[in-house]
Amino acid sequence: METILERIVTHTRRKLFLRRPYSEREILEIMGKRKGSAFLSTLQDPARVHIIAEIKCASPSRGKLLHTGEVPRVLVSYREGGASAISVVTEEDHFGG
């Protein structure tokens, strides 16, 4: 029996297969490896503890977590709480975009 995560991975792979491949430039931008990336320089600062906070509007196992109008408040609380970076889960079908 397939787990929720396995179903999501299978579904996402099918969707990505149907899309055009990313260019090398797009991949570098997505991965944050451009020269002068604020993301990488922040995480490489040895003087800080680095926390990557995650935000998603829904979860396959718990359903709706946030309304989109709540996102700005949550992001501010992450920043005030010391998050070095924020992971935004944008998969539409299982995580609410």
Side-chain angles (χ1 to χ4, degrees):
M1 179 175 213
E2 206 175 35
T3 66
I4 291 172
L5 182 57
E6 290 168 335
R7 283 195 308 263
I8 292 169
V9 169
T10 300
H11 176 79
T12 302
R13 282 186 176 152
R14 282 189 201 126
K15 282 175 56 176
L16 290 175
F17 180 77
L18 297 174
R19 292 182 182 170
R20 67 172 178 80
Y22 290 105
S23 70
E24 185 175 340
R25 181 188 58 78
E26 289 171 317
I27 291 169
L28 291 175
E29 287 178 11
I30 291 166
M31 298 303 291
K33 294 188 177 181
R34 298 172 304 203
K35 212 173 198 180
S37 167
F39 176 75
L40 283 180
S41 62
T42 297
L43 293 180
Q44 291 172 343
D45 179 358
R48 291 187 61 192
V49 172
H50 302 289
I51 297 169
I52 301 174
E54 179 180 273
I55 190 162
K56 57 189 172 192
C57 290
S59 163
S61 61
R62 298 192 70 198
K64 188 80 169 165
L65 300 173
L66 288 173
H67 294 284
T68 55
E70 297 175 281
V71 170
R73 176 188 55 77
V74 173
L75 295 177
V76 167
S77 69
Y78 284 173
R79 182 181 63 214
E80 290 173 352
S84 299
I86 299 172
S87 168
V88 181
V89 181
T90 60
E91 198 278 334
E92 303 97 1
D93 300 316
H94 302 92
F95 294 95

